[in-house]
Amino acid sequence: MEPILPEKVQELINKFAGQEVYLHMETTNGAYASHFNEKFFSAGAYIRNAKLTYEHGKIVGDGPFRVGLKLAIGWVYAEGLTHYGFDESGHLLMAGHDFDGKLAVALQLGTTPFK
Amino acid sequence: MTETMEIEQERHVLVIFPHPDDEAFGVSGTIAIHTGRKTPVTYACLTLGEMGRNLGNPPFATRESLPDIRKAELQKAAEAIGIQDLRMMGLRDKTLEFEDDQKMMNLVTDLINELDPSLIITFYPGYSVHPDHEATARAVVRAVRAIEESKRPKLHCVAFANNTLEEIGAADIHYDIRHVYDKKLEAMKAHISQTIWMLKDLEASVAEEGSELHDRFNYEYFWTYTFDDKDKVTDIKS
Ligand SMILES: [Zn+2]
């Protein structure tokens, strides 16, 4: 994974627009957050291999970055993205790594399902 | 330090945890002692910890590459403590509580029928914090409970929830594992992607005789699970 170059990522988002893609998205504080700090309210969300088509997408911000994808009748978005890269199947991986190196958010797309 | 006891000689030990590294901190010394005696030990690890969050910054792994990294770490840790029979059960991290409960129980029942263990080591249901730990513990308790009482393997559980002491009391089993601590440390180090942030400071503190960390890592603690009124695991709703 490399630090996000917004122009480069915008190009990639454009490339996947208008076709059926598989999407992985997650956000989490980790299952232990409330164990280490009982005042901490732990929350997260996860979706893997959602099949969808977006009309267009945008990356915005000065870093960490935000990415939004416009669907026919809805939206996908993620914020806090810091890094991007690819897996061996050519899926576009975007992730937000916090100051301790822990994954905080992930948004991933590709034309084939994730394993 | 509370008094420790001798580890009994077992016929076969079955260890069941959901995540690579669950075995390293709490029980790897005990496992190393069993394998040192040539007692067969099977470790069924239900997932590959696919959802681990320690990916580094700068990142050394991605959401997609992490499972292979953790699989290799798990194999290395198993080797460090002499486990010959490591089974990766192919379930997915953070999904176990959503699995079919009967399927989870059957997975354990099948292992018990195949291996005929005299001891099973897992988490203590209700006191193991992570939803995957809890789902694993429930499946094990249900599988063992279904066995006729005289034929049940012993069930030794690991508990670490903040309310453990108040609610179920102190562990009834304390093992001194100092003589195999080097193997335990090797197992902890094998899971380097997940442990690097804590191992940095750990080694020096653990070496300090009498310190809290020394005792936490040189002794291992288990709660014997009893199938009496302390057993709070419900039957599967059909
Ligand atoms: Zn775990």
Side-chain angles (χ1 to χ4, degrees), chain B residues 33-51:
Chain B
I33 292 170
H34 285 297
T35 59
R37 292 173 179 173
K38 309 277 178 247
T39 303
V41 175
T42 298
Y43 177 18
C45 190
L46 304 191
T47 82
L48 290 176
E50 291 90 346
M51 293 292 282

Side-chain angles (χ1 to χ4, degrees), chain A residues 32, chain B residues 18-19 21-22 123 130 133:
Chain A
Y32 291 104
Chain B
H19 307 127
D21 83 0
D22 284 339
F123 283 116
H130 192 295
H133 298 177

Side-chain angles (χ1 to χ4, degrees), chain B residues 1-14:
Chain B
M1 191 58 226
T2 31
E3 231 172 282
T4 58
M5 43 203 81
E6 275 301 305
I7 295 185
E8 283 177 45
Q9 179 65 45
E10 300 295 342
R11 178 175 63 241
H12 194 128
V13 180
L14 172 58

Side-chain angles (χ1 to χ4, degrees), chain A residues 104-115:
Chain A
V105 60
L107 174 60
Q108 308 179 164
L109 309 164
T111 52
T112 56
F114 291 95
K115 268 191 289 202

Side-chain angles (χ1 to χ4, degrees), chain B residues 104-118:
Chain B
M104 290 287 290
M105 175 179 159
N106 292 351
L107 178 154
V108 179
T109 301
D110 289 348
L111 287 166
I112 294 174
N113 290 343
E114 179 197 335
L115 304 165
D116 187 25
S118 51

Side-chain angles (χ1 to χ4, degrees), chain B residues 50-82:
Chain B
E50 291 90 346
M51 293 292 282
R53 293 180 64 219
N54 290 308
L55 304 183
N57 195 351
F60 60 81
T62 70
R63 180 46 83 232
E64 302 306 315
S65 70
L66 188 66
D68 285 340
I69 293 172
R70 296 199 69 178
K71 184 176 172 181
E73 291 175 347
L74 175 61
Q75 286 163 331
K76 202 169 154 199
E79 202 176 304
I81 50 176

Side-chain angles (χ1 to χ4, degrees), chain B:
Chain B
M1 191 58 226
T2 31
E3 231 172 282
T4 58
M5 43 203 81
E6 275 301 305
I7 295 185
E8 283 177 45
Q9 179 65 45
E10 300 295 342
R11 178 175 63 241
H12 194 128
V13 180
L14 172 58
V15 181
I16 306 180
F17 288 126
H19 307 127
D21 83 0
D22 284 339
E23 82 295 345
F25 294 93
V27 314
S28 57
T30 303
I31 294 174
I33 292 170
H34 285 297
T35 59
R37 292 173 179 173
K38 309 277 178 247
T39 303
V41 175
T42 298
Y43 177 18
C45 190
L46 304 191
T47 82
L48 290 176
E50 291 90 346
M51 293 292 282
R53 293 180 64 219
N54 290 308
L55 304 183
N57 195 351
F60 60 81
T62 70
R63 180 46 83 232
E64 302 306 315
S65 70
L66 188 66
D68 285 340
I69 293 172
R70 296 199 69 178
K71 184 176 172 181
E73 291 175 347
L74 175 61
Q75 286 163 331
K76 202 169 154 199
E79 202 176 304
I81 50 176
I83 294 173
Q84 308 269 359
D85 185 19
L86 170 65
R87 314 239 182 137
M88 292 174 267
M89 306 303 287
L91 299 173
R92 196 169 175 90
D93 197 10
K94 292 190 86 168
T95 66
L96 302 190
E97 63 183 328
F98 307 118
E99 279 285 1
D100 178 56
D101 289 328
Q102 190 64 50
K103 173 183 154 183
M104 290 287 290
M105 175 179 159
N106 292 351
L107 178 154
V108 179
T109 301
D110 289 348
L111 287 166
I112 294 174
N113 290 343
E114 179 197 335
L115 304 165
D116 187 25
S118 51
L119 169 67
I120 298 180
I121 294 175
T122 189
F123 283 116
Y124 199 110
Y127 300 92
S128 55
V129 182
H130 192 295
D132 285 340
H133 298 177
E134 296 292 347
T136 303
R138 285 195 298 273
V140 173
V141 164
R142 284 170 179 149
V144 174
R145 192 165 60 195
I147 301 169
E148 189 190 316
E149 199 175 335
S150 62
K151 295 185 178 146
R152 280 178 197 153
K154 284 176 291 187
L155 185 49
H156 290 178
C157 300
V158 174
F160 67 101
N162 295 333
N163 58 350
T164 301
L165 270 183
E166 298 102 83
E167 297 194 7
I168 57 168
D172 58 314
I173 296 171
H174 312 157
Y175 295 143
D176 180 347
I177 61 101
R178 280 177 295 180
H179 59 295
V180 294
Y181 179 73
D182 55 328
K183 290 184 178 156
K184 176 171 184 156
L185 184 62
E186 222 185 300
M188 294 193 287
K189 279 183 172 167
H191 295 288
I192 194 71
S193 73
Q194 305 305 299
T195 54
I196 190 160
W197 56 280
M198 65 175 306
L199 283 178
K200 264 188 280 179
D201 307 316
L202 193 73
E203 275 194 76
S205 321
V206 171
E208 206 182 304
E209 196 82 31
S211 72
E212 195 217 324
L213 276 177
H214 174 273
D215 285 359
R216 183 163 357 136
F217 286 96
N218 279 283
Y219 298 86
E220 292 182 346
Y221 309 91
F222 299 90
W223 283 253
T224 302
Y225 200 83
T226 52
F227 294 87
D228 48 22
D229 53 351
K230 283 195 201 143
D231 177 10
K232 304 279 192 262
V233 175
T234 57
D235 285 319
I236 295 170
K237 293 175 207 85
S238 48

Side-chain angles (χ1 to χ4, degrees), chain A residues 60-111:
Chain A
V60 295
D62 307 315
F65 297 90
R66 302 183 296 283
V67 168
L69 309 175
K70 184 172 171 53
L71 310 181
I73 52 167
W75 285 95
V76 170
Y77 75 81
E79 63 178 280
L81 298 166
T82 56
H83 291 78
Y84 84 110
F86 300 90
D87 67 8
E88 67 270 27
S89 317
H91 296 119
L92 170 61
L93 313 180
M94 294 170 279
H97 292 244
D98 71 14
F99 307 114
D100 301 325
K102 287 192 165 65
L103 185 74
V105 60
L107 174 60
Q108 308 179 164
L109 309 164
T111 52

